[in-house]
Amino acid sequence: MSEAAHVLDAAAVLRLLPARPRVLGLGEPTHGEDALLDLRNDLFRQLVEHEGYRTIALETDCLRGLVVDAYVTSGTGTLDDAMAHGFSHGWGASAANRALVRWMRAYNVRADRDGRPASDRLRFAGFDGPLEITHAESPRQALTALHAHLAAHLDAALLPCTAATLDDLLGADDRWADPAAMTDPARSVGQSPEARRLRAYADDLTVLLEAQAPRLTALAPGEERHRAHLHARTATGLLRYHHWLADPSPLRMSRLIGVRDHMMAASLLALAERGRVLVHAQNAHLQREQSSMRMWDQPPVEWWSAGALVSARLGGEYAFLATALGTIRHRGVDTPPADTLEGLLYDLPDRPALLDASRLATALADRRPQPRTSPWFGYAPLDPAHLASVDGVVFLRDVPETQPRSGAL
């Protein structure tokens, strides 16, 4: 297997692909391990310095991500502020994420000092919705920001409602974010009369944003328009998510996860319009195969991932590298069985390796590797049946509990 493995770097990645992709996905099989984020940081730095990539998109709240992007691009706030308020899921505490944001800001400071154009600046984006495992946020921030953008540039008579009407219908934010609604549809307000009116207003405001594009393009800077479309997508997506949160049918979870990945895909396609993007997320959000998982005692939940949706739109301009791991011993994930994909790769040198997925699938065809079973719920092994739809496999033999580099770039 060693003859098919390459040292992981940007040049090796792009040699695997027929052309530089507009969206390059780097998946991970588990969250919260800085060793994987260090690997991501190194790859992004190389893509920036040698291949013209300028944006990184992470699996974090798209609205909070605006805080990080403002710091990275213009120095708004402080690094501590960006880490505290610009990430969801608690990922602002990661040393590797902090190192990434610090490096991006330093790169942009140098670019400004050297007089390079604004298009050369690095951009940060979250591409997840304002969603947590425990709850979904209120649509207030996105919906009121969209309304404010339109009200600032259009005649008030064109708007379907006033800001005060939205405020009355939204009510208290904590009723939208009630954690009990994740397991009890009856606790959700997503199908209340107020929510139904808000969905209609969000739809009307989004159509107005698009229908008035010639006027708005002339009146508002490009970055303001980009944010307005982000707020429109997020407002409609969140209201759709809350609607299905209140649904008691057996397909409830499939619809919820499908809505989430649809929101992710829409954000990635919008980012791709601005230039090439490295996106980093869990493998299941980036794969081309249909995703599935089992929750509680219910039948498997199935949905099409953001990667599958983006691939359907961009074709060859989307590429996906899936990461596979040997061990995470501090999580109880020990040496993989020899008949699994990870077990067959475990003899590779102890450094990040890149393998051509199609060649790997051919080489392993006679061995028929078995799917690996994880003893820890937080780690999802790579399904060997998915190799045919993956562009490359990144393999890390052992994930240490502590990483000496601590997120360095």
Side-chain angles (χ1 to χ4, degrees), residues 1 344 358-369 387:
M1 213 61 63
L344 292 167
S358 60
R359 289 182 60 192
L360 181 61
T362 299
L364 298 179
D366 293 338
R367 303 194 196 185
R368 298 183 180 179
L387 284 177

Side-chain angles (χ1 to χ4, degrees), residues 70-405:
Y71 172 74
V72 163
T73 56
S74 61
T76 302
T78 66
L79 177 60
D80 286 343
D81 291 337
M83 302 312 297
H85 304 295
F87 288 85
S88 57
H89 307 90
W91 292 336
S94 161
N97 283 338
R98 187 180 185 89
L100 171 69
V101 174
R102 184 193 301 115
W103 178 80
M104 292 176 70
R105 177 61 193 146
Y107 182 97
N108 285 340
V109 168
R110 290 194 301 271
D112 290 344
R113 186 180 61 225
D114 295 343
R116 283 181 268 172
S119 59
D120 198 46
R121 289 187 190 137
L122 303 187
R123 305 299 301 265
F124 178 95
F127 77 103
D128 201 352
L131 307 168
E132 294 282 358
I133 294 173
T134 56
H135 66 279
E137 297 288 346
S138 163
R140 177 183 300 278
Q141 180 182 353
L143 190 54
T144 56
L146 171 61
H147 186 279
H149 170 78
L150 295 171
H153 299 294
L154 301 177
D155 190 304
L158 288 172
L159 275 66
C161 62
T162 65
T165 298
L166 292 180
D167 189 60
D168 288 342
L169 292 172
L170 285 162
D173 288 343
D174 58 2
R175 69 189 190 118
W176 293 91
D178 181 3
M182 287 304 298
T183 53
D184 182 1
R187 295 291 297 270
S188 171
V189 299
Q191 294 188 20
S192 65
E194 295 86 355
R196 293 179 190 277
R197 287 184 64 190
L198 286 167
R199 285 190 78 186
Y201 283 140
D203 183 65
D204 287 342
L205 290 168
T206 298
V207 170
L208 186 61
L209 178 69
E210 296 169 352
Q212 292 290 323
R215 178 178 297 175
L216 293 169
T217 298
L219 294 174
E223 185 57 31
E224 184 181 340
R225 297 196 308 276
H226 176 84
R227 281 197 183 205
H229 283 278
L230 169 61
H231 287 131
R233 293 192 307 271
T234 306
T236 55
L238 264 178
L239 284 162
R240 188 177 298 118
Y241 189 93
H242 279 289
H243 175 88
W244 291 116
L245 202 59
D247 176 45
S249 79
L251 292 178
R252 176 178 184 258
M253 289 308 302
S254 288
R255 286 176 171 139
L256 286 173
I257 301 175
V259 167
R260 180 189 179 194
D261 271 82
H262 181 267
M263 292 173 69
M264 287 179 162
S267 287
L268 290 178
L269 290 168
L271 291 169
E273 292 178 1
R274 298 200 309 200
R276 303 186 191 281
V277 184
L278 174 68
V279 52
H280 187 246
Q282 219 277 351
N283 283 331
H285 288 304
L286 300 179
Q287 66 189 35
R288 293 185 177 92
E289 301 280 355
Q290 190 172 32
S291 300
S292 67
M293 67 177 177
R294 186 175 293 276
M295 300 183 69
W296 307 303
D297 57 351
Q298 302 297 315
V301 174
E302 295 183 333
W303 74 99
W304 289 104
S305 75
L309 298 175
V310 171
S311 181
R313 284 282 297 276
L314 296 185
E317 289 197 288
Y318 176 73
F320 170 45
L321 307 176
T323 299
L325 304 176
T327 72
I328 323 173
R329 298 191 193 279
H330 56 284
R331 302 291 189 185
V333 181
D334 292 320
T335 305
D339 62 348
T340 63
L341 174 62
E342 291 84 356
L344 292 167
L345 296 176
Y346 195 67
D347 287 337
L348 289 174
D350 190 14
R351 63 173 184 263
L354 175 69
L355 300 102
D356 183 317
S358 60
R359 289 182 60 192
L360 181 61
T362 299
L364 298 179
D366 293 338
R367 303 194 196 185
R368 298 183 180 179
Q370 299 301 303
R372 185 183 188 184
T373 300
S374 172
W376 176 50
F377 75 94
Y379 161 61
L382 182 59
D383 187 340
H386 290 181
L387 284 177
S389 63
V390 171
D391 296 294
V393 174
V394 174
F395 183 71
L396 190 60
R397 191 172 184 270
D398 299 294
V399 177
E401 184 169 6
T402 57
Q403 185 72 4
R405 298 174 61 221

